[in-house]
Structure formats: C-alpha cells, structure tokens
Amino acid sequence: MTDINAFIDEKVKNNDVFLFMKGTPDFPQCGFSGQVVQILSYLGVDYDSANVLDSMELRDGVKAYSNWPTIPQLYVKGEFIGGADITREMFQSGELQQHLQQAGIAVKQTA
C-alpha cells in the first residue's frame, strides 16, 4: 500500500485544497460529496479532487491515511479538515471561510 500512500501524500501536500470524493466535481456520485463540492464552488475556492470510486485501493488508502472512515475527505494545505458534516458545519459557522483565508486561499463568498 506504499504506492497509494505516496499518491495520496503527493495530492494532499501539493494542492492547497484537495478533495477525495465519490465521483467528480461535475458529477458527484453521492450526496455528501455533492455537498462539499457545492460549498467549495459557492466559496469560489480552486481545488483539485480524486474519485475514490476509480480504485478500491485508493478508497481504502484514503481512509487509512486520514484514519477517518468516510468519504468525502477535505484537505487544506496538507491538513485534514473532515468529511461532509464537519465541512458543512464549519461553512455554516463561517469557520471554514476563516480557515481558508488564514491559509492564504482566496475565498469569493464569505457568507
């Protein structure tokens, strides 16, 4: 599983905002992934993503990497933020926007 860990590590560390999700931003394959995509799109945040449905190795690897059992998983500047519920709660409270701005990531919408 070292190859998949290296892949995950590279994505997390070389992208300011990275989302492991089911599906793609244009076609999310689950409601939770769709919620995070909507939040990031609303905020106008540039991010990259990987579809965990493309590979069982990736799907399992992401869960092991973060020690978090569910997908989607959002990372900001290499830091694991959380899944859909945490991202949504942070967004609703304004904490996500603040966290992104403090990390130097442009946010178009703040409320």
Side-chain angles (χ1 to χ4, degrees), residues 7-111:
F7 173 81
I8 294 165
D9 206 46
E10 187 272 327
K11 293 298 182 191
V12 165
K13 291 180 178 169
N14 292 323
N15 292 281
D16 286 345
V17 181
F18 198 85
L19 179 63
F20 291 100
M21 64 179 292
K22 293 179 181 176
T24 64
D26 291 334
F27 194 62
Q29 295 290 299
C30 85
F32 296 112
S33 292
Q35 285 178 9
V36 177
V37 165
Q38 282 184 319
I39 289 167
L40 295 175
S41 296
Y42 177 80
L43 295 175
V45 172
D46 286 329
Y47 67 98
D48 201 357
S49 67
N51 181 359
V52 300
L53 298 178
D54 286 344
S55 157
M56 187 56 101
E57 186 182 23
L58 176 60
R59 190 175 186 172
D60 291 341
V62 166
K63 293 175 184 180
Y65 183 87
S66 64
N67 198 25
W68 191 258
T70 59
I71 308 287
Q73 295 185 8
L74 180 64
Y75 287 83
V76 174
K77 296 277 186 164
E79 176 190 359
F80 177 59
I81 300 300
D85 290 345
I86 292 169
T87 301
R88 185 180 62 249
E89 289 168 12
M90 287 178 69
F91 168 71
Q92 289 171 339
S93 72
E95 189 181 348
L96 180 62
Q97 298 85 316
Q98 184 179 16
H99 186 79
L100 290 164
Q101 289 171 330
Q102 288 173 345
I105 297 162
V107 176
K108 293 183 180 135
Q109 302 282 341
T110 54

